[in-house]
Structure formats: C-alpha cells, structure tokens
Amino acid sequence: MRRPIVHGVWRGTLRSDFRRDDKTSLEIPIVFVIRQTYLTISIESFTKSQEGESKLEALIQNGRTEATRLCYVFELRKQYQGENKLTTGAGDLRLINNSKQLKGYYWTNSPTYGELQLELISRECGGVDCFEEAERKWPPIPFA
C-alpha cells in the first residue's frame, strides 16, 4: 500500500524552551515507542521523569513532494512537580533520512514548545514500557 513504516523504538533528544533556574533550556533524552498496524498508530513517549501517550495520530504523505509527517495529539500521564493540572499537546514530526529519523516540533498547553530529533533503534517494541527498559535493551553509545 506504499504506506511508510514508523513502527519501532526511536531514541533521541527533546529540546524545550522551558527554562531552569539557571536560565538554560532543557535538553532531555527521550524514547518513542510507535506501534503501527495496517489501520492504527499509537505513540508512547518516555523520559526519566515523564511518560506520554498519543490520543490522536495521523501519518500524512504529500504525493507531490514525497514528504511524510507523523502528526499527533498527546497527553502526559505524570503531572509536573508543583503543578496540579493535566498537560496535553501536539507534535509534528517529519520522517527523513531513508525512514530512519523523525525530526520536528511539539507544543503543549503548559505552555512550552520545543524540538524533537529521533533515530530508529529497533523495529521490535515488545516489552518496552519505560525509559529504563529501552536503555537496558539498547544502551546509549558513549562519546569517545
């Protein structure tokens, strides 16, 4: 059916405009677990301190440019420390580099926004239900 495959475990970095007390922006390791069937897509996101889940997903292909985008609405299950509200948001990621990378932006109602860069690390999603499990199965390669 010529539908791109995004199923798999993706690891990368979330860069947020949220500022810490020392005024530096956040750069957080993140893992996406994308489960794709012929008719459905679901996205779970994991960092060391927060988990998210998609509520609405769309894989959009532009036939004229051959660009593919993964767009989604998400909800963060864990509330931010010191806040008593539910965080929701949306993401818009472009599938690039021979379908091995996702790159794009997200926005939340907290209100924050930022950039996501993810690389495919495995097509096998089974058993990956938290950040620590992904790190255990596929340890990050240390810089030399």
Side-chain angles (χ1 to χ4, degrees), residues 59-140:
L59 194 58
I60 302 167
Q61 292 180 274
N62 184 327
R64 294 180 314 244
T65 65
E66 298 183 9
T68 300
R69 294 177 25 231
L70 177 61
C71 301
Y72 58 97
V73 173
F74 65 90
E75 179 177 284
L76 297 175
R77 287 190 287 266
K78 207 174 189 186
Q79 297 173 352
Y80 286 112
Q81 293 178 354
E83 294 186 25
N84 192 17
K85 69 178 185 176
L86 183 62
T87 302
T88 58
D92 185 353
L93 305 176
R94 187 163 178 194
L95 186 63
I96 58 173
N97 195 16
N98 206 25
S99 299
K100 301 290 186 208
Q101 291 181 316
L102 288 166
K103 184 176 180 179
Y105 300 92
Y106 75 91
W107 303 264
T108 74
N109 68 337
S110 58
T112 59
Y113 65 91
E115 181 180 355
L116 285 164
Q117 291 186 330
L118 303 162
E119 289 193 33
L120 179 66
I121 57 173
S122 178
R123 292 285 184 201
E124 297 298 319
C125 306
V128 182
D129 57 4
C130 64
F131 183 83
E132 292 76 16
E133 182 61 19
E135 291 282 291
R136 186 187 68 73
K137 285 187 172 191
W138 302 281

Side-chain angles (χ1 to χ4, degrees), residues 16-26 112-113:
S16 173
D17 73 323
F18 180 81
R19 303 278 184 218
R20 297 182 193 180
D21 293 337
D22 61 1
K23 305 288 190 241
T24 60
S25 59
L26 290 178
T112 59
Y113 65 91

